[in-house]
């Protein structure tokens, strides 16, 4: 069986389970379950702390895992990213009290508090900045107020938590993170079961990104219509019973669907419909 590590809690857990369910895999019914077997798909899932997943995968005991890019890099584990999943996006940045730190270069000789010691230490080293890095497990915003550090490095989504703590971000983002599928570095990239798993997840990503659009248009307007809906390769065009009309079907980006429908209508297309895509293989 393919052995897969899945986040057991936190912001990665729910979306990961939802994506796996959409990909046709069984998922646990109780949050206390640490392992389930999906015999129909020949897969075994292990529910682990997101921060530990890269370590388990790098050991070779598990074939692949889902975790955050930030957690993968911070772990220093011998594992690599093989597929970004598009959820749990975040930006990792430095922050300090207003007016105390102008830029990353001002961190020289100062102390930075973070839950991601590996990422921060490597980033500072890459910048040639010598600074002390203090590891804290969560709530790093209070480190400055309590005198533990002059600056912090943390995940920033809206910035509300930082503002509430009287802090502001400075410098360029350290990194951008999202959920990713990982494997042990150097593992067989063409292993059939792994490739099948990746194809299923890629199918979910495409299904979430595109919709199927159908419409009728006059033959003389077909080239203009096709230019608006080129599809992934090319649209399907079928003649209608009424002479001079054709039916067109193509995949279009979901976020652009309403604009495309307006443009099609403007050139004379009618009976314009969109339908959700539940699964696909490209």
């Amino acid at each position: 069986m393919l052995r897969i590590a899945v986040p057991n809690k936190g912001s990665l857990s729910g979306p990961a389970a939802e994506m796996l369910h959409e990909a046709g895999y069984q998922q646990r019914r109780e949050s206390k379950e640490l392992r389930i077997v999906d015999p129909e798909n020949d897969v075994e899932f292990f529910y682990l702390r997101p921060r530990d997943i890269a370590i388990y995968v790098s050991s070779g005991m598990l074939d692949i895992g889902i975790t955050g890019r930030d957690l993968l890099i911070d772990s220093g584990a011998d594992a690599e990213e093989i597929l970004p999943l598009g959820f749990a996006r975040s930006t990792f940045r430095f922050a300090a009290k207003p007016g105390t730190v102008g830029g990353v270069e001002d961190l020289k000789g100062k102390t930075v508090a973070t839950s991601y010691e590996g990422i921060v230490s490597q980033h500072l080293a890459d910048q040639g900045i010598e600074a002390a890095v203090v590891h804290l497990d969560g709530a790093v915003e209070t480190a400055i107020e309590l005198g533990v550090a002059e600056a912090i490095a943390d995940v920033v989504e809206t910035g509300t938590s930082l503002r509430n703590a009287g802090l502001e971000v400075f410098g360029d983002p350290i990194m951008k993170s999202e959920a990713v599928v990982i494997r042990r570095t150097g593992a067989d990239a063409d292993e059939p079961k792994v490739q099948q798993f990746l194809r299923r997840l890629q199918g979910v990503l495409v299904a979430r990104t595109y919709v199927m659009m159908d419409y009728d248009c006059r033959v003389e307007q077909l080239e203009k219509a096709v230019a608006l809906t080129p599809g992934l390769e090319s649209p399907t065009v079928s003649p209608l019973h009424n002479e001079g009309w054709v039916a067109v079907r193509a995949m279009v980006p979901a976020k652009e669907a309403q604009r495309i429908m307006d443009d099609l209508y403007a050139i004379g297309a009618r009976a314009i419909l969109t339908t959700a895509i539940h699964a696909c293989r490209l």
Side-chain angles (χ1 to χ4, degrees):
M1 284 190 171
L2 188 67
R3 295 157 65 87
I4 303 173
V6 183
N8 67 344
K9 59 183 178 180
S11 61
L12 291 165
S13 178
E18 183 179 353
M19 177 171 278
L20 290 169
H21 176 73
E22 289 181 38
Y25 294 104
Q26 295 181 25
Q27 288 298 285
R28 61 181 181 175
R29 297 180 179 180
E30 300 289 338
S31 60
K32 293 182 180 180
E33 292 181 276
L34 301 180
R35 170 184 169 274
I36 68 165
V37 175
D38 181 354
E40 291 186 4
N41 292 298
D42 202 26
V43 171
E44 189 174 10
F45 291 103
F46 294 82
Y47 296 87
L48 306 168
R49 290 179 67 244
R51 188 171 283 275
D52 296 337
I53 286 176
I55 303 297
Y56 282 105
V57 172
S58 69
S59 72
M61 298 303 295
L62 300 180
D63 300 300
I64 52 179
I66 295 175
T67 188
R69 181 180 294 129
D70 53 350
L71 298 175
L72 166 63
I73 295 174
D74 191 62
S75 72
D78 191 20
E80 60 186 359
E81 173 183 336
I82 55 175
L83 179 67
L85 297 177
F87 63 85
R89 288 192 172 104
S90 61
T91 303
F92 200 62
R93 305 198 66 165
F94 290 111
K97 285 193 174 295
T100 60
V101 182
V104 178
E105 63 279 359
D106 295 334
L107 291 175
K108 184 176 181 180
K110 291 183 169 57
T111 301
V112 180
T114 183
S115 299
Y116 299 81
E117 185 178 0
I119 292 176
V120 176
S121 296
Q122 185 60 55
H123 181 77
L124 292 173
D126 291 342
Q127 300 292 317
I129 297 170
E130 294 184 5
V133 179
V134 175
H135 177 84
L136 296 176
D137 285 322
V140 297
E141 296 94 339
T142 61
I144 297 176
E145 188 68 31
L146 296 177
V148 174
E150 289 89 4
I152 66 169
D154 201 10
V155 171
V156 178
E157 294 181 358
T158 64
T160 301
S161 297
L162 292 178
R163 287 192 294 271
N164 290 341
L167 306 178
E168 65 178 11
V169 299
F170 63 88
D172 295 328
I174 300 169
M175 68 169 296
K176 293 184 180 295
S177 182
E178 65 181 292
V180 296
V181 179
I182 65 171
R183 68 177 178 193
R184 182 169 55 85
T185 303
D188 184 5
D190 298 321
E191 205 285 319
K193 291 181 180 179
V194 173
Q195 287 302 309
Q196 182 186 65
F197 179 78
L198 295 177
R199 281 195 299 271
R200 287 198 183 191
L201 294 191
Q202 288 167 334
V204 171
L205 291 172
V206 172
R208 290 179 173 183
T209 306
Y210 289 85
V211 294
M212 188 66 72
M213 185 170 289
D214 294 90
Y215 59 90
D216 301 338
C217 76
R218 297 283 306 176
V219 171
E220 56 265 27
Q221 296 298 327
L222 181 59
E223 290 305 314
K224 291 182 179 179
V226 168
L228 293 170
T229 60
L232 296 187
E233 294 178 355
S234 66
T236 300
V237 180
S238 304
L240 292 178
H241 179 70
N242 290 339
E243 187 175 351
W245 285 81
V246 293
V248 183
R249 162 169 280 201
M251 290 172 64
V252 301
K255 64 181 180 181
E256 299 177 19
Q258 291 295 334
R259 177 190 58 78
I260 292 172
M261 292 175 78
D262 291 338
D263 293 343
L264 286 171
Y265 193 89
I267 64 172
R270 295 295 183 265
I272 309 169
L273 308 173
T274 62
T275 52
I277 300 170
H278 297 291
C280 71
R281 295 290 185 276
L282 298 181

